[in-house]
Amino acid sequence: AFDWLRKEGLAKRMLVVAPLSTLHMTWWREAFQVTPHLKCNVLYGSRDKRFQMLADPADIYVVNHDGLEIIATELINRTDIDVIVFDELAVYRTQSTKRWKTANRIAQRKERVWGLTGSPTPNAPTDAYAQVKLITPSQMPGGFVAFRESVMVKVSTFKWVPKPSALKVVESAMTPAVRYTLDDVVELPDVVMRTVEVQQSAQQKLAYDELEKRLTTMFAEGQITAVNAGI
């Protein structure tokens, strides 16, 4: 879409704000594969390196969410960067955070602002409020309290639950938009499950027993540092 805008003379340069893990492996690689005629600079590393890569003329600049603050003033002054893409937009679902305020300060001064997300409301319908305020503030003329009352109902002193119409309200607020459901884009065959039992080799069993012994000891001594049960 950005490439088309450039060809039509409607855009000059684009900034992509994305998760750290996707800067090279997703955005730089996809930019090269889809639009190899466009130059893409990844703004990551030391403070000096970020400024150096930003000063180097390119068509697309890619930076991580928390790295945006470092170059915020320069981005505001760069009038040639007129398109911004916020990947994983839901990280901006809290308006009071420094991350959101920095992003909004830049977005307010740019011609086109796009947001990409697969889960805009991971916790509650109200998650959409700050995201819409960032991307299309005209779609959210009222305050947070008014929006919360439009999508949720208070059932106790500290508990709110979504209204049956919440999804429709969120979809309406997050427009204009291109939206695909999983069924629209994925064609998979029916799941076939098969269990095959195999014996461990002597070397595998030795490694497994050693791992179990070591991790059990770590657990007993309280050495577990994983941030959640999944890890």
Side-chain angles (χ1 to χ4, degrees):
F2 166 68
D3 189 35
W4 183 87
L5 289 172
R6 284 182 73 259
K7 291 175 181 176
E8 295 295 312
L10 300 174
K12 299 175 183 176
R13 290 182 169 88
M14 178 171 70
L15 173 72
V16 177
V17 188
L20 186 60
S21 61
T22 68
L23 302 187
H24 286 92
M25 292 301 294
T26 301
W27 280 100
W28 185 91
R29 184 178 63 184
E30 290 296 320
F32 178 75
Q33 291 180 349
V34 178
T35 53
H37 55 286
L38 300 182
K39 181 180 178 181
C40 180
N41 284 356
V42 176
L43 312 179
Y44 182 68
S46 67
R47 184 184 184 90
D48 290 341
K49 184 177 180 181
R50 291 174 190 264
F51 284 121
Q52 179 184 349
M53 295 303 292
L54 181 60
D56 179 35
D59 303 298
I60 303 170
Y61 297 96
V62 185
V63 66
N64 59 307
H65 293 297
D66 294 320
L68 198 59
E69 172 70 22
I70 299 173
I71 55 175
T73 301
E74 285 69 21
L75 289 173
I76 291 173
N77 295 331
R78 285 284 297 271
T79 56
D80 59 322
I81 300 177
D82 47 10
V83 177
I84 297 185
V85 176
F86 290 105
D87 189 15
E88 294 296 343
L89 181 63
V91 303
Y92 297 102
R93 61 182 178 270
T94 306
Q95 192 177 6
S96 60
T97 62
K98 184 178 181 180
R99 175 187 281 177
W100 187 93
K101 293 176 181 178
T102 298
N104 189 57
R105 188 156 53 96
I106 299 170
Q108 286 179 346
R109 294 167 172 81
K110 301 303 177 182
E111 183 71 20
R112 289 178 174 83
V113 184
W114 300 333
L116 308 177
T117 176
S119 52
T121 54
N123 301 316
T126 48
D127 288 343
Y129 177 80
Q131 298 173 65
V132 175
K133 275 289 188 180
L134 178 63
I135 304 297
T136 49
S138 61
Q139 287 290 100
M140 197 66 72
F144 175 79
V145 173
F147 182 72
R148 181 180 61 184
E149 292 179 349
S150 70
V151 295
M152 304 190 77
V153 60
K154 191 174 184 179
V155 295
S156 65
T157 305
F158 301 105
K159 185 176 181 180
W160 292 73
V161 297
K163 291 182 177 180
S165 60
L167 182 58
K168 291 295 183 182
V169 175
V170 169
E171 288 180 356
S172 177
M174 301 189 88
T175 56
V178 177
R179 178 174 178 265
Y180 297 97
T181 65
L182 191 62
D183 290 339
D184 291 332
V185 296
V186 175
E187 295 181 3
L188 295 175
D190 293 337
V191 175
V192 176
M193 302 190 69
R194 189 163 60 102
T195 301
V196 179
E197 295 186 1
V198 295
Q199 294 294 321
Q200 285 183 322
S201 67
Q203 187 176 6
Q204 288 173 330
K205 188 174 188 311
L206 181 64
Y208 186 91
D209 289 345
E210 177 62 27
L211 181 67
E212 181 182 30
K213 179 181 178 181
R214 180 164 59 86
L215 295 183
T216 301
T217 302
M218 289 176 62
F219 180 77
E221 294 177 352
Q223 297 182 30
I224 304 302
T225 57
V227 296
N228 58 52
I231 291 177

